[in-house]
Every structure is written in structure tokens, then in C-alpha cells.
Amino acid sequence: MEKYHVLVVEDDKEIRDGIEIYLKSQGYEVYKAADGIEGLEIIYREEIHLAIVDVMMPRKDGIQMVMEMRKDYDFPVIMLSAKSEEVDKILGLNMGADDYVTKPFTPLELLARVNSQLRRYSRYLEKLKNGNNDEGHIYRIGGLELDEEKVELRVDGVPVKVTPMEYRILLLLMKHPGRVFSADEIYERVWNEKAVNSDTIMVHVRNIREKIEINPKNPKYLKVVWGVGYKMEKQ
């Protein structure tokens, strides 16, 4: 892929410019916005591969912005926030974010998250482009059908839009129906790195359930094994 385009949406100019310097040092093309309205304008106008979005901003905050962009775009989003309460993390991820960094953060930490998200997104786009991949396969569990060649999920025959992260979690679980995976193991297999933020798995699982289950509170497919982890129930 050509140079990645990263959008930084942050109302603090010093932080915004600082992130830009470090991203450009890694060879990324950087776009900047001071609030969610400006951020959306750039997304609609430019090709963006990843967005770093602050939660608290004037005019339109990060949560509102991500909710709006998720209607049409599935590139990775990393949320930034000065608050560390768990409720903020869950809220941010539940609205469509892929990862979360709490201020203050080190540039190396943020760059590591950016690089990791873009590696996965690049593989996801490659699969979409190469629909004739010989390794492709269709996994079926009950009314769920995951087409690895088309990178497509169907629920009872109807295509359902999932984010790249949700797709990778579903692929792992549907490849091994009945097997229980801990949150750390899912994180390490999907993120391809040591588990450092596996609590995000819980939120991604919740989002997946909203898309595949008739009654997410009484799931038929994606089950929790309390104290152990998650599994895709055999049908």
C-alpha cells in the first residue's frame, strides 16, 4: 500500500502538532482537525486509513464523530482521553473505536498502537482486494456464515457490516467452534502482540453480539464461559 493517511482530531493544538511530528517521522501522511466537525469534513474529502480522535472536544466530541463516521467507514480509530475511568473506555469502544489511549501517553506508546492497527487493517484490505485467495474458506455455524474470501459476514443470509477487529475475532472463534478462548488469548491472536489491554475484548464481544444475536442478552452463538473466556457455540 502507498503511504498511510492518518487523521488527528484533537482540540489541543500542542498535542495535535506533537502527534503530527511523531507520525511524520514514521512516514505517515497526517491530516489535522480541531473538533469532530472538521474531522468528518476531512474524512469525507480525503482517503483516511486511521484516525486518532480525542473524546472531549468542542462543537462535536469524539464519541459523536466516531458514531457518525462508522455509518460509512470501517478504518481503525484510536480514542484519546484525559480520563481513565473504565466507563469512558467502554463508552469509547462501544461507539466504534478499535483501541484506547489515556492521557498522558508517551509518543512511543501511541506509535505502537498506530502501527499495530495499520498492520491489521492492511491485511484486511488485502483480503478484500484478493477475493480469490486460495486459503479462503466459508465458516458456517447455524445461521452465521463467515466468508473468508469475501471478508463478509452473513446472518441468516443477510450481509452484516462488521469492523476489521470484529471480523478477526469472529474468524478466530468460528474457526474453532466450542473451544474456549481467554480474553488475553483472543487479544494476542487478533492483535498479534502481548496482551496489554484485553479488557477491550469484552466490549468488542458486546458489539458483535448486537450484530449476530436475536437477543444479545441471551446469546445463541457467542457465549461467555464465566471466569474462563469466550466461545462460539456449536450448533
Side-chain angles (χ1 to χ4, degrees):
M1 179 180 284
E2 298 178 0
K3 182 181 286 190
Y4 288 111
H5 298 174
V6 178
L7 170 63
V8 180
V9 189
E10 163 67 64
D11 62 323
D12 187 314
K13 185 178 186 301
E14 188 174 335
I15 295 176
R16 188 169 68 241
D17 292 346
I19 293 174
E20 178 188 25
I21 290 170
Y22 285 102
L23 290 173
K24 282 189 171 181
S25 75
Q26 297 294 303
Y28 295 124
E29 182 78 26
V30 180
Y31 296 85
K32 297 185 295 181
D35 57 52
I37 292 175
E38 287 184 14
L40 288 171
E41 289 173 352
I42 293 173
I43 288 171
Y44 297 146
R45 186 176 70 242
E46 307 289 346
E47 181 182 15
I48 301 297
H49 302 117
L50 179 142
I52 299 168
V53 182
D54 188 30
V55 172
M56 298 300 293
M57 294 184 294
R59 297 210 297 171
K60 187 183 289 286
D61 65 28
I63 301 298
Q64 293 173 311
M65 174 191 154
V66 173
M67 287 178 64
E68 196 164 325
M69 58 152 280
R70 274 291 179 246
K71 297 173 185 176
D72 300 298
Y73 299 91
D74 60 6
F75 56 76
V77 174
I78 299 174
M79 302 296 291
L80 303 178
S81 176
K83 297 181 179 180
S84 60
E85 287 84 353
E86 195 64 26
V87 65
D88 288 329
K89 293 184 180 181
I90 291 175
L91 178 59
L93 288 165
N94 206 33
M95 294 304 108
D98 297 278
D99 207 348
Y100 198 98
V101 177
T102 303
K103 299 176 184 177
F105 53 84
T106 66
L108 288 179
E109 177 190 5
L110 182 59
L111 284 175
R113 301 290 182 90
V114 168
N115 293 336
S116 180
Q117 289 291 337
L118 284 172
R119 280 196 303 270
R120 285 189 294 275
Y121 189 57
S122 177
R123 289 195 292 268
Y124 173 79
L125 292 178
E126 199 63 33
K127 283 196 172 186
L128 284 177
K129 195 181 299 181
N130 301 328
N132 58 349
N133 189 338
D134 292 337
E135 296 180 358
H137 191 75
I138 295 178
Y139 299 92
R140 294 184 180 89
I141 297 178
L144 301 183
E145 193 174 273
L146 194 67
D147 190 324
E148 196 173 6
E149 288 189 358
K150 296 180 179 178
V151 195
E152 182 179 79
L153 171 69
R154 291 182 288 273
V155 180
D156 297 326
V158 179
V160 173
K161 186 177 178 64
V162 291
T163 67
M165 200 58 59
E166 291 165 357
Y167 167 81
R168 289 178 63 83
I169 293 172
L170 272 170
L171 181 61
L172 173 65
L173 297 178
M174 290 183 70
K175 276 185 173 181
H176 305 90
R179 178 180 168 183
V180 180
F181 290 87
S182 69
D184 280 357
E185 187 175 5
I186 293 173
Y187 188 98
E188 289 173 3
R189 283 176 171 246
V190 170
W191 271 254
N192 292 319
E193 60 189 42
K194 186 173 176 60
V196 293
N197 196 21
S198 59
D199 55 335
T200 64
I201 299 299
M202 174 183 67
V203 183
H204 286 300
V205 165
R206 182 186 303 162
N207 293 342
I208 291 169
R209 279 179 169 168
E210 292 289 340
K211 296 177 179 182
I212 69 173
E213 304 283 2
I214 295 175
N215 180 3
K217 293 183 179 179
N218 184 25
K220 174 183 177 182
Y221 299 112
L222 213 174
K223 302 275 192 175
V224 174
V225 180
W226 294 108
V228 184
Y230 304 92
K231 69 174 181 177
M232 190 62 69
E233 192 74 277
K234 291 181 178 179
Q235 300 294 313

